[in-house]
Each structure stands twice: as structure tokens, then as C-alpha cells.
Amino acid sequence: MSEIRKIAEEIKDRLIQVRRDFHRYPEIGFQEKRTSKKISEILDEIGLDVKTNVAKTGVVGLLNGSCKGKTVALRADMDALNVDENNTVSYRSRNKGIMHACGHDGHMSMVIGAAIVLSRFKRQIHGSVKFIFQPAEENIGGAEVMIRHGVLKYPQVDAIFGLHLWPYINFGTIGIRSGAIMASMDNFSIIVKGKGGHGAMPHAAVNPLIVASQIFQALQTIKNHNVNALNPCVISICSINGGISYNVIPDEVKMKGTFRTFSDHTRNKVKKRMLEIIEGIAKSFGAKYTLYFEKGYPVTINNASLVKLVVSSAKKLDVRVIQPNLSMGSEDFSFYQKEIQGVYFWLGVKKDKNPIALHNGNFNFDEDILPVGTSLLAECALAFLRR
Ligand SMILES: [Zn+2]
Ligand SMILES: [Zn+2]
């Protein structure tokens, strides 16, 4: 067993204790105050230079090696979700309606683990390792705010590594691929404004429900008629609200949805077509509309040479590697990759034939994975600084 893996196994109880503490007190995006305090206490204890309140609740720890060299970053996301936990484990969530249902408690524990392991190699390290604990990965793009607060500077980061626990890949196997791995994400809302009236006299009204239903269907044609079938694209409308009565035509209908693509070209095309379709349909019915896109996430694109580095580090640690299918899910890790070279991979925690999905109130994982992820991250950081 490699030295790194041995240390990671030695500190396993600590990793579990840290993970369970985060799990017990989950906090949602930009509210990770307790989480932030815990992380900074541990990093202080290890002897790192610690910065707190980066992008509100973010924490950054810096480990300087004995000689000058490059700087590599390991990133963990900190936020939990508005999900009720159904698990009955002793460390189940104590914060009602909030749960670490996406495994970010595990990510933090593994990056802390890598900090503990690497601090023992301080003398052999040429360069620095930056440990980035980032708030608000889910939907709000905390990564971008961290970048704005200079997380990739002082010292300038040369490469960044991140991982996600993945219940869709066998336990202990990593899934990684060069180029795109996760989709771009754009959420949108549409308001269709008609003219309310009596259900028995629709000719005197403009029923926004009819307009909305046409828009709903027409938006689904974009991926067949405007996007090359070889370019993955998903457009999902997930919410439609309007009207409360049997016989009252409402004034307006609100719709919400998300779309995912794998290139800026497709992303821009979808936006353009959405606008044209909604405008055309609304106009033809005499309705008005507003279309609003929330700030989205770019495509997660892995640097090929860093992928090779992760694969060889995994081999060194006897970790199996597969090249998985792309995911239409998205990751704000992509913001770091727009600035510097980076690699993002999945660490399998699948044990059952029908695993429980991320974001489900029953999600949990076998904590034997924590030393695996810890050693992998530590090994990747060392391998990069040796290059
Ligand atoms: Zn998630
Ligand atoms: Zn996640």
C-alpha cells in the first residue's frame, strides 16, 4: 500500500467524524457559517495559512512546501440542499428541511483529509497546495463568486482538481474523461400575459394557458429542429402555474425550466430559438411575455493532460478507472476551468443494483470511500507539483 493511502487509512476515523459533523448540521448556499467555522478550526490546527469569509462563507487554506514551485488547488463544495432527510442514522440532519443529500459533506471531509495527509509531506513539497472550500455549488454558482474574490490568485493557482461522490459508478471506481464531462446549465422563467375573463366567454379574453401550452410544446422542437442530433441537448419545463378556478381565465401563467447543452454554440442557439418561438406564439395569440434567463453554469471541460495525471495517480493507488457517459447534470467547477486548467471526476459509491440518487432524502454512502478520495486528491496534488 502506498504511503499516502496508509496515512489516509490511519486517519479514517477522523474523516468519518468530520463528515458526520457536517452531515448533522447541514447549511444551504452562502449560509454555511457553522460549516465554515469548523473547517477553519481544523485547517488552523493542521498549521495552514487560513483565509475565512471568502465569498461570504468560503474558506481557503494554504500549505506552503519547503521549496518554491507551482500551486495546485483541491476544491470541495460546502452547501447542503432543501431536502428532508429520511435516513435514521445517528448522525442524521438536525436542521429541519436541510440535508447533505449531494455528498458535499464527504467532499469536505476528503479535502480536509488531503490537507492532513499533505501537511505530513510538507518537507518534500516543492510549491504550494491551496485547499478551497467553496459555498453554494447548488444553483447559485459560488465558484464564480470565489473567483471574483481572488481565490485563484495570491499565489496564482496553476491547476485545480475536484471530485464528486457518484452513486451511479461502482464503489471505489473513478469515472473520468477528457474534454466535456458535464453539461452547461441555464434556468429560465417565462411569464405569459394574456387577458383574464369569464370561462364561458373566452373570445372576449386572451387565455394565457392556451398560449403557455403552445409554448410548452414548441420549445421541445428546438432540440430536433435546431440542434444537430449529435449534440446532446435537454430542455425541461418543470413548473407551470396559472389560474385557480373552474370558470375564470387568469391574466397570466408562469413557467419555469432548465436547459442543458455541451457547447456555447448550442447554448446560444437554444436561447435564440426560445426567444423567437415564445415571441412568435405570444404575438399570434395577442399575448405578451417576459423571458428571463438566470445566470447559468458553463460546460465542465477537463484538461487532457490532467486527466492522464489523475488516471496514473489512481493506478498507483490501485483505484479502478472507467470512462463514463457524459452527464446532463452540471457543475459550477466549470467556472474555475474557464480561468485555469482543471479536472473534475466522479468517485463511485454505488453498492446496490438500484442506487439511491443524489438529492434524494435517502441518499447516503459507505464512509470507507473517504480514505480513497483523500489519498487520490493528495496523490494528484503531489504528482502535479512534481511535474
Ligand atoms: Zn447536487
Ligand atoms: Zn453536488
Side-chain angles (χ1 to χ4, degrees):
M1 193 186 275
S2 82
E3 183 66 16
I4 285 184
R5 183 65 192 271
K6 225 158 61 194
I7 303 174
E9 290 296 339
E10 272 167 33
I11 60 167
K12 184 171 146 186
D13 287 347
R14 180 87 201 271
L15 300 178
I16 292 175
Q17 177 236 323
V18 166
R19 181 259 161 161
R20 290 186 179 183
D21 184 71
F22 291 139
H23 193 88
R24 210 173 267 129
Y25 302 104
E27 296 165 305
I28 59 165
F30 289 127
Q31 293 178 30
E32 307 95 334
K33 283 195 183 130
R34 185 188 181 279
T35 308
S36 174
K37 191 164 169 279
K38 275 276 155 192
I39 293 169
S40 65
E41 280 169 10
I42 300 170
L43 300 186
D44 263 336
E45 176 200 315
I46 307 168
L48 305 191
D49 282 345
V50 184
K51 268 192 209 149
T52 54
N53 304 321
V54 185
K56 285 189 189 164
T57 45
V59 184
V60 181
L62 188 68
L63 173 69
N64 289 313
S66 58
C67 304
K68 281 209 177 325
K70 288 184 280 194
T71 298
V72 62
L74 304 177
R75 172 271 206 172
D77 35 16
M78 302 162 71
D79 53 329
L81 289 154
N82 288 114
V83 169
D84 279 315
E85 174 149 24
N86 297 325
N87 295 314
T88 53
V89 289
S90 60
Y91 53 92
R92 70 188 171 277
S93 170
R94 303 292 196 269
N95 294 346
K96 204 174 159 21
I98 304 178
M99 178 192 172
H100 268 298
C102 202
H104 300 185
D105 49 347
H107 305 167
M108 289 184 279
S109 166
M110 291 186 282
V111 172
I112 285 172
I116 297 173
V117 171
L118 289 170
S119 63
R120 300 200 189 172
F121 288 84
K122 195 173 157 76
R123 285 193 185 167
Q124 286 135 271
I125 291 177
H126 291 221
S128 304
V129 189
K130 210 180 251 192
F131 302 91
I132 298 176
F133 296 86
Q134 172 220 303
E137 190 286 322
E138 305 280 357
N139 285 318
I140 11 186
E144 207 188 9
V145 190
M146 291 289 275
I147 295 166
R148 274 211 304 275
H149 281 75
V151 74
L152 298 178
K153 294 182 183 148
Y154 324 113
Q156 174 69 38
V157 176
D158 297 293
I160 186 163
F161 293 76
L163 58 72
H164 205 296
L165 292 174
W166 213 243
Y168 321 105
I169 291 180
N170 285 343
F171 188 87
T173 296
I174 63 162
I176 188 166
R177 53 188 300 148
S178 293
I181 182 165
M182 297 182 84
S184 65
M185 182 265 284
D186 289 276
N187 291 339
F188 55 86
S189 44
I190 304 164
I191 302 175
V192 179
K193 289 169 191 154
K195 187 176 152 207
H198 198 299
M201 287 156 254
H203 62 280
V206 175
N207 191 341
L209 288 155
I210 290 177
V211 186
S213 69
Q214 302 282 330
I215 289 173
F216 194 115
Q217 306 225 19
L219 292 183
Q220 292 305 317
T221 66
I222 294 174
K223 62 177 190 253
N224 280 342
H225 292 271
N226 303 113
V227 175
N228 186 323
L230 299 172
N231 296 336
C233 172
V234 164
I235 303 171
S236 292
I237 290 169
C238 302
S239 161
I240 175 160
N241 284 296
I244 46 166
S245 178
Y246 295 106
N247 59 357
V248 178
I249 294 169
D251 279 322
E252 63 177 38
V253 171
K254 290 181 178 163
M255 301 158 93
K256 280 184 182 174
T258 189
F259 81 84
R260 312 293 170 107
T261 74
F262 275 95
S263 74
D264 282 345
H265 176 76
T266 309
R267 199 176 171 195
N268 292 333
K269 193 161 201 180
V270 170
K271 277 189 178 173
K272 183 170 167 275
R273 280 302 289 148
M274 281 182 71
L275 187 65
E276 287 167 357
I277 287 172
I278 295 167
E279 191 171 271
I281 291 175
K283 196 172 170 204
S284 71
F285 283 91
K288 292 200 163 53
Y289 73 95
T290 55
L291 169 63
Y292 175 71
F293 290 102
E294 308 243 338
K295 184 134 189 65
Y297 292 1
V299 182
T300 303
I301 298 173
N302 282 337
N303 175 285
S305 98
L306 292 183
V307 169
K308 276 191 192 153
L309 184 151
V310 174
V311 171
S312 65
S313 299
K315 282 197 178 138
K316 218 167 153 181
L317 297 164
D318 292 326
V319 170
R320 236 185 113 229
V321 180
I322 59 159
Q323 183 177 306
N325 288 330
L326 301 172
S327 167
M328 298 310 289
S330 62
E331 231 318 314
D332 77 350
F333 189 82
S334 52
F335 285 110
Y336 300 113
Q337 292 168 312
K338 285 215 127 187
E339 306 292 320
I340 57 167
Q341 54 177 337
V343 63
Y344 192 76
F345 57 95
W346 300 323
L347 177 56
V349 287
K350 178 181 174 182
K351 286 211 149 172
D352 300 327
K353 209 170 156 208
N354 297 311
I356 290 161
L358 295 170
H359 292 203
N360 184 299
N362 291 305
F363 175 73
N364 204 352
F365 59 88
D366 183 336
E367 290 156 327
D368 280 351
I369 204 68
L370 298 174
V372 180
T374 291
S375 51
L376 203 50
L377 289 167
E379 182 60 46
C380 285
L382 284 180
F384 180 78
L385 294 179
R386 272 198 300 264
R387 290 218 296 198

